[in-house]
């Protein structure tokens, strides 16, 4: 069986239940200020099965014009809400990077949503890792290689787990094969939230 590429770190159960609940409240406030929107794949025009929003100075968006970071919400035109302190602290604790994250992408998965294998490569600062937090229902996460999607290995991510993609695996292919519905009671109406913290620009 393939071992995870070096630089991929899975930290199961890093956040206890209370920290998870506090983060959900933070995200609730973010979504109130910056409603979830439906991203579109630039070439095909097909909508993602995942809904998204962002917090922090920059947010990742996808529409007919392409994939990019921008300082405002694509629908409301307002700046993204600030990055919650709890997420700044998590980044300081786990990223090993001396500059703060600039973007937190909030992905919301309903029962049948998934995310195809891809690289996170819209950032110019590849020295900083990508730090991702799982909340709510569990999922089957898949990690491939930097050179391409295969060979790949899948493993389950549960609420409170953290994944760090850094170092030589900063550009590793990854995706979400499926959600396991009703596996968590954290979110009142079910589903899975993934928070992805990223540094976008090389320096301030
Ligand atoms: C992503 O790669 O954008 C999302 C990963 C995840 O949902 O765990
Ligand atoms: Fe990603």
């Amino acid at each position: 069986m393939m071992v995870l590429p070096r630089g991929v770190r899975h930290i199961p159960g890093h956040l206890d239940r209370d920290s998870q609940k506090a983060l959900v409240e933070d995200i609730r406030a973010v979504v109130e200020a910056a409603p979830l929107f439906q991203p579109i794949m630039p070439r095909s025009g097909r909508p993602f099965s995942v809904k998204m929003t962002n917090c922090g100075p920059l947010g990742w968006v996808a529409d007919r014009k392409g994939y990019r970071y921008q300082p405002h919400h694509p629908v409301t035109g307002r700046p993204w809400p600030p990055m919650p302190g709890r997420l700044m602290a998590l980044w300081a604790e786990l990223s090993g990077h001396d500059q703060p994250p600039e973007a937190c992408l909030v992905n919301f998965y309903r029962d049948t949503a998934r995310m195809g294998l891809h690289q996170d490569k819209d950032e110019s600062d590849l020295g900083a890792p990508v730090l991702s937090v799982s909340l709510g229902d569990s999922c089957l996460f898949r990690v491939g290689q930097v050179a391409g999607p295969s060979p790949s290995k899948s493993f389950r991510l549960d609420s409170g787990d953290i994944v760090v993609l850094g170092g030589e695996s900063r550009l590793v292919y990854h995706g979400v094969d499926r959600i396991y519905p009703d596996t968590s009671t954290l979110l009142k109406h079910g589903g899975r939230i993934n928070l992805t913290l990223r540094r976008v620009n090389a320096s301030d």
Side-chain angles (χ1 to χ4, degrees), residues 3-43:
V3 293
L4 283 178
R6 268 171 57 155
V8 178
R9 237 177 116 195
H10 175 208
I11 316 173
H14 184 76
L15 300 169
D16 64 21
R17 179 81 177 187
D18 283 346
S19 315
Q20 294 174 40
K21 279 190 188 156
L23 264 182
V24 169
E25 284 315 306
D26 287 343
I27 298 309
R28 212 181 291 286
V30 164
V31 169
E32 232 162 76
L36 291 166
F37 63 92
Q38 181 84 70
I40 304 272
M41 288 180 215
R43 292 222 194 106

Side-chain angles (χ1 to χ4, degrees), residues 96-108:
H97 196 76
D98 53 6
Q99 290 187 300
E102 291 171 292
C104 172
L105 174 63
V106 179
N107 285 148
F108 182 67

Side-chain angles (χ1 to χ4, degrees), residues 124-166:
S124 53
D125 187 356
L126 297 176
V130 171
L131 192 158
S132 111
V133 183
S134 291
L135 296 168
D137 285 339
S138 301
C139 77
L140 186 63
F141 187 70
R142 185 169 292 278
V143 173
Q145 307 295 315
V146 172
S150 64
S152 67
K153 180 187 170 77
S154 64
F155 54 96
R156 183 176 165 129
L157 293 181
D158 299 318
S159 195
D161 287 10
I162 307 275
V163 173
V164 185
L165 307 179

